[in-house]
Amino acid sequence: MKKNDKKYKKIHIKRLIKRAFFVLLAVFALFLVFVFMIWLFFGRQKLTQPEDIVWGLTYSPLASEGLKLDPDETYRAIIEDLQPNKIRLVAYWNRIEKHPGQYDFSDLQKQIELADSNDIPIIVAVGRRVPRYPECHAPEWSEKLAQADQDKKVLEFIDRTIKEFDKYENVVGWQIENEPFLGSFGICPTLDEGLLAQEIDLARSLTNKTILTSESGELSFWIKASKYPDVLGTTLYRRVLVGGSEVAINHIFPSWYYRARSNIIMSISDNLDNVIVAELQGEPWTKRGIINSTREEIDQTMSHEQFEKNIHFTENVGFPEVYWWGAEWWYYEKQNGNDYYWARAQELFR
């Protein structure tokens, strides 16, 4: 009986393994069919043809200062020499309202007016969380406030900034917060989604221009952020470091994956007019900061070859509007004898 029991037990286990194998095979087959259907109905066609893409960039004085560049000189070179088709500027709360109720818009005003004199349309990012680390740029005095009181001050800051600059015709849109749902990155308070809705409602009450917010292209399905703006901006990174390590990896998502997501999110979000790239990787991703990194460390994530790959990938997706990330670094490289990125960007813009 014992031998028979063992024999039947082995047969039973083999049958279970066989069934499990066929179940897994069926699940995998269904997954492949699902992926194929997504590609077939949503991911086949480019969103926009390469020649119709509007290429722009983001400018941040923080990035210039981090590279030991003169921010005004760098910005002037970007506007007058690079001549991007569009530009995204940033209203840094901690630089504009250094003291409660005292607003100094002079630096941002100079940036907007220089772009205006060169006929370059602008999107202005405003809020507590805006481009460049540490992501949230609240003034020091506001950090002593209770969270609810700081939130009220954020709304006041957005109100004052939009009222100050919405009169400029070349300001064609307002970005409210930057990747607000990406809680894993940056030094920020926990997101209050209700406050985000308030901020966007406030912006809509102050302007008839496009309202944008952004979301991670690699770490999100865009569902939450898509509920609020007219335009959803995504990040697009192709080669990054893993966590805090020095190991570089390529993101695995194919171009059709972004096309499919864009088409799906547009079909289910009635408020959305468009999905664009708010941040296309155009500078290296480094552990120790760019100016403290070796050429070998820089080339791990951004080389001439990788730059071309990023262009080709973006064109293959076909996002209608694309804002590069890293123009300050291109100028830094140009100043140090490598004008490849600068010259290549000029070709795209012109």
Side-chain angles (χ1 to χ4, degrees):
M1 288 294 293
K2 288 183 179 179
K3 286 183 179 181
N4 286 337
D5 287 346
K6 287 181 180 179
K7 181 181 177 180
Y8 288 129
K9 189 175 183 180
K10 286 181 180 180
I11 292 172
H12 182 65
I13 290 172
K14 285 181 179 180
R15 285 176 178 170
L16 287 176
I17 292 172
K18 190 175 181 180
R19 286 174 184 169
F21 172 76
F22 282 113
V23 168
L24 289 173
L25 190 63
V27 169
F28 183 65
L30 287 171
F31 173 74
L32 290 180
V33 169
F34 174 75
V35 169
F36 174 75
M37 297 301 286
I38 292 293
W39 170 82
L40 182 66
F41 290 106
F42 297 103
R44 276 195 304 168
Q45 301 296 326
K46 291 179 181 178
L47 301 173
T48 303
Q49 292 305 309
E51 62 271 19
D52 295 325
I53 295 173
V54 176
W55 294 93
L57 58 82
T58 296
Y59 174 73
S60 168
L62 273 65
S64 295
E65 292 162 6
L67 294 166
K68 309 300 182 187
L69 297 170
D70 179 273
D72 293 335
E73 175 193 313
T74 304
Y75 181 67
R76 183 168 290 277
I78 285 171
I79 293 296
E80 296 181 349
D81 192 20
L82 273 188
Q83 296 181 2
N85 302 138
K86 278 192 169 184
I87 193 163
R88 179 174 65 154
L89 298 176
V90 187
Y92 287 109
W93 185 19
N94 60 345
R95 295 190 169 207
I96 290 172
E97 193 182 4
K98 293 179 181 178
H99 305 286
Q102 298 177 28
Y103 298 90
D104 180 2
F105 290 110
S106 56
D107 286 343
L108 184 57
Q109 182 175 350
K110 285 188 294 184
Q111 292 171 17
I112 289 174
E113 290 181 349
L114 184 60
D116 187 28
S117 66
N118 285 270
D119 299 318
I120 298 175
I122 293 168
I123 288 175
V124 180
V126 63
R128 177 166 41 209
R129 182 178 176 120
V130 289
R132 288 289 170 184
Y133 198 81
E135 304 302 305
C136 285
H137 302 270
E140 188 175 343
W141 59 264
S142 74
E143 294 175 355
K144 300 171 185 176
L145 301 175
Q147 193 62 56
D149 292 329
Q150 189 186 108
D151 292 347
K152 288 179 184 177
K153 292 297 182 182
V154 173
L155 292 166
E156 289 176 15
F157 172 63
I158 292 171
D159 179 89
R160 287 295 300 270
T161 304
I162 293 178
K163 285 178 178 175
E164 185 73 22
F165 294 113
D166 200 57
K167 61 192 175 188
Y168 287 88
E169 289 186 8
N170 68 318
V171 175
V172 297
W174 291 95
Q175 177 179 338
I176 308 301
E177 304 293 341
N178 188 63
E179 299 177 74
F181 291 94
L182 189 61
S184 61
F185 186 73
I187 304 173
C188 292
T190 302
L191 172 67
D192 179 346
E193 197 169 339
L195 176 63
L196 175 64
Q198 276 186 270
E199 291 177 24
I200 290 177
D201 286 344
L202 172 63
R204 288 195 195 284
S205 73
L206 297 170
T207 181
N208 293 320
K209 297 175 182 179
T210 298
I211 302 297
L212 169 108
T213 196
S214 64
E215 185 68 290
S216 170
E218 295 72 38
L219 302 174
S220 165
F221 289 112
W222 305 342
I223 301 296
K224 291 183 177 180
S226 68
K227 295 186 294 183
Y228 300 103
D230 305 316
V231 173
L232 178 67
T234 178
T235 61
L236 186 52
Y237 280 78
R238 298 304 297 157
R239 189 161 175 82
V240 299
L241 298 182
V242 181
S245 75
E246 296 181 5
V247 178
I249 61 167
N250 292 315
H251 276 297
I252 62 171
F253 303 122
S255 56
W256 70 261
Y257 172 74
Y258 289 90
R259 291 197 294 266
R261 287 166 71 195
S262 179
N263 284 324
I264 290 170
I265 210 72
M266 287 281 290
S267 68
I268 64 177
S269 301
D270 293 337
N271 54 291
L272 276 185
D273 298 325
N274 227 333
V275 178
I276 67 171
V277 177
E279 187 175 315
L280 173 61
Q281 182 184 14
E283 69 178 25
W285 184 298
T286 63
K287 184 178 180 181
R288 300 184 294 119
I290 291 174
I291 61 173
N292 299 318
S293 301
T294 65
R295 178 53 56 181
E296 183 181 8
E297 289 170 330
I298 285 171
D299 286 347
Q300 271 199 107
T301 54
M302 184 50 63
S303 60
H304 297 178
E305 180 184 7
Q306 187 61 48
F307 196 73
E308 292 297 335
K309 285 181 178 179
N310 288 1
I311 293 171
H312 177 71
F313 187 90
T314 306
E315 288 180 335
N316 202 29
V317 177
F319 283 111
E321 201 166 298
V322 178
Y323 291 81
W324 281 100
W325 184 256
E328 304 87 356
W329 178 67
W330 305 342
Y331 188 66
Y332 172 85
E333 287 287 288
K334 183 174 182 283
Q335 297 298 91
N336 287 278
N338 175 19
D339 68 351
Y340 172 81
Y341 301 101
W342 193 263
R344 186 68 177 93
Q346 279 180 325
E347 290 177 14
L348 284 174
F349 296 141
R350 293 178 184 175

